[in-house]
Amino acid sequence: MAVDWVGRNLYWCDRNIDTIEVSQLNGLYRKVLVKDKLYLREPRALELFPKYGIMFLTDWGEQPHISRIAMDGSVKQKIITDKIRWPNALTIDYITEKIFWADASLDYIAMADLLGQNRRDIIVDNLPHTFAMTTYLDKIYWTCWGTNRILEAQKFSGEHRTDLISLVHRPMDLVVYHKLRQPECKF
């Protein structure tokens, strides 16, 4: 699920019926944006970049990928298709305009630009089932289902990895609420 804080819409993916949908924050004007069994098989994470009118989506179906899709569903482009199996976690760094994702099967965290180019691995070891992630300032934060923890590291190097908290249950999501994570858009 993702909130368009500019247009005041709510977006979500439904992996049971393989769709991406949108409505106003109050639930009115619900619309299916993407329903294409050849394109969308197991949608998982969804992130929005309202400034550019684009969303990013992870899919870990038969042909796993990360896609870039117009927020009206009109333009779909698979931007990451290699060295990817279970792209679980996804986040956008709005300051540097980079996407970050984690693969829960291949156990890595990587980043790329908004077109999926200039890909670079950040962390490639000891990541037992990353599920959700976010960035804030110079850090990346993620949840680990293998250890029921929330961790952090330097965003671009993966250095200084630190356990922040140990939980009883598997942490399902992670959100930083701050104006740097929801920047104002000036059109």
Side-chain angles (χ1 to χ4, degrees):
M1 187 178 303
V3 175
D4 170 7
W5 61 91
V6 176
R8 304 194 46 80
N9 291 312
L10 181 65
Y11 288 74
W12 66 94
C13 52
D14 186 327
R15 71 177 202 110
N16 292 321
I17 56 174
D18 299 327
T19 60
I20 299 173
E21 300 183 47
V22 64
S23 74
Q24 290 183 340
L25 290 178
N26 62 8
L28 294 176
Y29 305 107
R30 181 176 175 175
K31 180 180 179 183
V32 174
L33 294 177
V34 179
K35 184 176 185 164
D36 180 346
K37 288 284 189 185
L38 297 175
Y39 191 83
L40 202 58
R41 302 294 293 203
E42 289 285 338
R44 167 56 189 93
L46 183 67
E47 287 287 323
L48 305 175
F49 205 145
K51 177 179 176 181
Y52 297 120
I54 53 178
M55 66 178 130
F56 295 89
L57 169 88
T58 66
D59 187 310
W60 42 272
E62 293 170 18
Q63 297 176 349
H65 60 91
I66 298 174
S67 286
R68 175 186 162 122
I69 304 171
M71 285 173 59
D72 66 2
S74 64
V75 179
K76 300 182 295 258
Q77 177 187 16
K78 293 179 181 179
I79 60 171
I80 305 286
T81 58
D82 64 317
K83 193 187 167 198
I84 195 163
R85 192 174 299 151
W86 290 351
N88 252 2
L90 178 68
T91 192
I92 300 170
D93 181 351
Y94 299 104
I95 305 301
T96 63
E97 298 191 351
K98 305 286 186 217
I99 60 169
F100 290 78
W101 71 94
D103 191 296
S105 175
L106 299 176
D107 296 334
Y108 70 81
I109 293 176
M111 63 176 280
D113 62 29
L114 299 179
L115 297 172
Q117 300 172 354
N118 302 306
R119 178 178 176 163
R120 187 165 60 89
D121 289 343
I122 305 299
I123 301 174
V124 294
D125 65 336
N126 197 21
L127 285 168
H129 205 99
T130 301
F131 195 76
M133 67 187 336
T134 192
T135 62
Y136 180 65
L137 299 176
D138 63 340
K139 303 274 175 116
I140 187 160
Y141 301 88
W142 68 95
T143 65
C144 177
W145 272 22
T147 61
N148 295 351
R149 295 181 184 279
I150 297 174
L151 300 97
E152 72 173 6
Q154 292 296 313
K155 177 167 50 180
F156 297 114
S157 69
E159 295 176 342
H160 308 294
R161 189 184 317 189
T162 307
D163 283 5
L164 294 179
I165 190 167
S166 180
L167 303 165
V168 175
H169 300 286
R170 290 178 167 170
M172 300 294 286
D173 206 356
L174 185 64
V175 176
V176 170
Y177 181 75
H178 190 276
K179 64 183 178 182
L180 293 176
R181 290 288 306 150
Q182 291 84 27
E184 291 183 36
C185 294
K186 297 181 172 122
F187 299 101

